[in-house]
Amino acid sequence: MAMNERIYLFDTTLRDGAQTQGVDFSVTDKCRVIEMLDGLGLDYIEAGWPGANPVDDQVFADPPSLTQSRLVAFGMTKRAGRSADNDPVIAPLIAAKSPNLCLVGKSWDFHVTDALGVSLEDNLEMIGDTVAYAAARKAEVMYDAEHFFDGYKANPDYALGCLKAAYDNGARWVVLCDTNGGTLPHEVQRIVEKVLEQIPGDRLGVHFHNDTDNAVANSLTAIRAGARQIQGTINGLGERCGNASLTSLIPTLVLKTDFECGIQAEKLVQLTALSDELDRMLGLSGNRHRPYTGANAFAHKGGLHASAIIKDPTTYEHVAPEVIGNKRKVPISSQSGRANINFVLAQIGFGRELSNDECSRVLQALKENEESARLSYDGADASFELFVHRTIGGLPTFFEIDRFRVIDERRHNSQGQVVTEAIGMVQLMIEGRSVMEASGGSGPVDALNKALGKALAATFPQLADMSLSDYSVRIIDSDKATEATTRVLIESRDAQGRVWTCVGVSENVIDASFQALQDAIVWKLMKEA
């Protein structure tokens, strides 16, 4: 088989990915994702189901202009007893402003007779008639053979007959769907090879769900067997365990195979930012260990690993992180060595290497912190930089905290509505003066953050462009239930484009948050000074 054949990438983040629990795309979200995917260079972008909901109706009524990708509408084959031109389910699909259409239909005989309640022959007619009708009105029509692999195992002749009904009536692509996600790579190889005896490879696509954690492996197996379209989602979004992840498949195809997939190598640098932006848009924390684009995809914790990475990055990395827009990380912990510490300090612009004596002091203090306070600086480089300064000396005292207080109240207002209010109060010593301020906020952390800002504003106006951009809490010892120790990470930004993360650890989540807030402000003042 020639390995330089063209693979077509089909993104269904906005349709199948929208089935993810907790995911809800707005019209603005969908248009933004379409633009990002088009910029990356995907071949097909399936944006939703016209006629199914108001959001998709608006997207397809006025879709963004595309420069590289082709917009695809999704829908189902006509219903039994109707013609395609007289089925109200089909009409909005044809009217949608998208040149391409993907039609889902049954291919498992059990579903045809028991779910649809029609004869096997009627289902073949439904597929063929709908595809023919759409093919005469759209640039490309695709047929998604739902539950194909299960259907093939149960009745191979009928499952293949469903594919032929679509192919013979003008389908540009016939797509084999592993809707339950239970098929394994060796089965994919065997079944795809059988399908290729009747459907040409350049007309055959695959769509795998990830219920056995094999969706990416199954996709690669299918294209090696001869299929030429892969469907998937960014970050592997999708119902249950998700779909084949395009954020894994794209760099694998570009960097590790001779297949050509239409995405230029130089475009890969956009991938991590796209992956992160989608998580932020949907309010998802993201899988930090996600291959290629995860925050920890290129993290090297062990001291021996860090030493080797500094000398030769290829020792422990299968690709260079910069190629996909990611970056190398050397987390800091009591397991670190001198190489880890100086590597991280160089990355964050500390300005010099620590001496052996200074490294020993830092490592000893790290060990004591982890043992006594459960404090780890993994993922909190700004707090680590402050910790090093505090350990070896040289950090100015900008202000000192005397005390803080938070009042959180839930009550009925004058209209009888339930409202929740938070008021934060801080008392500081600044240049020998006692300063006290209070502020309301949408929650206790927000209230404390605003109170700190008010107290420091007159003395440190350089803090005005600083904002809190992310906040996360992790329970360290969940067996203690509500008495558990919490680890808070706070990400901050400023107008100069700097982004930094600080950590706080305490059995009191407000205290942990305040520690991280205080570190974030001190780091900013240190950099400005």
Side-chain angles (χ1 to χ4, degrees), residues 268-273 276 292-293 320-327:
L268 286 183
V269 73
Q270 303 176 19
L271 200 60
T272 298
D276 291 345
Y292 291 105
T293 63
E322 298 81 9
V323 172
I324 57 255
N326 210 334
K327 60 184 179 179

Side-chain angles (χ1 to χ4, degrees), residues 9-24:
L9 298 172
F10 183 109
D11 180 274
T12 181
T13 303
L14 299 174
R15 201 276 304 172
D16 210 337
Q19 305 303 312
T20 309
Q21 184 175 3
V23 166
D24 186 21

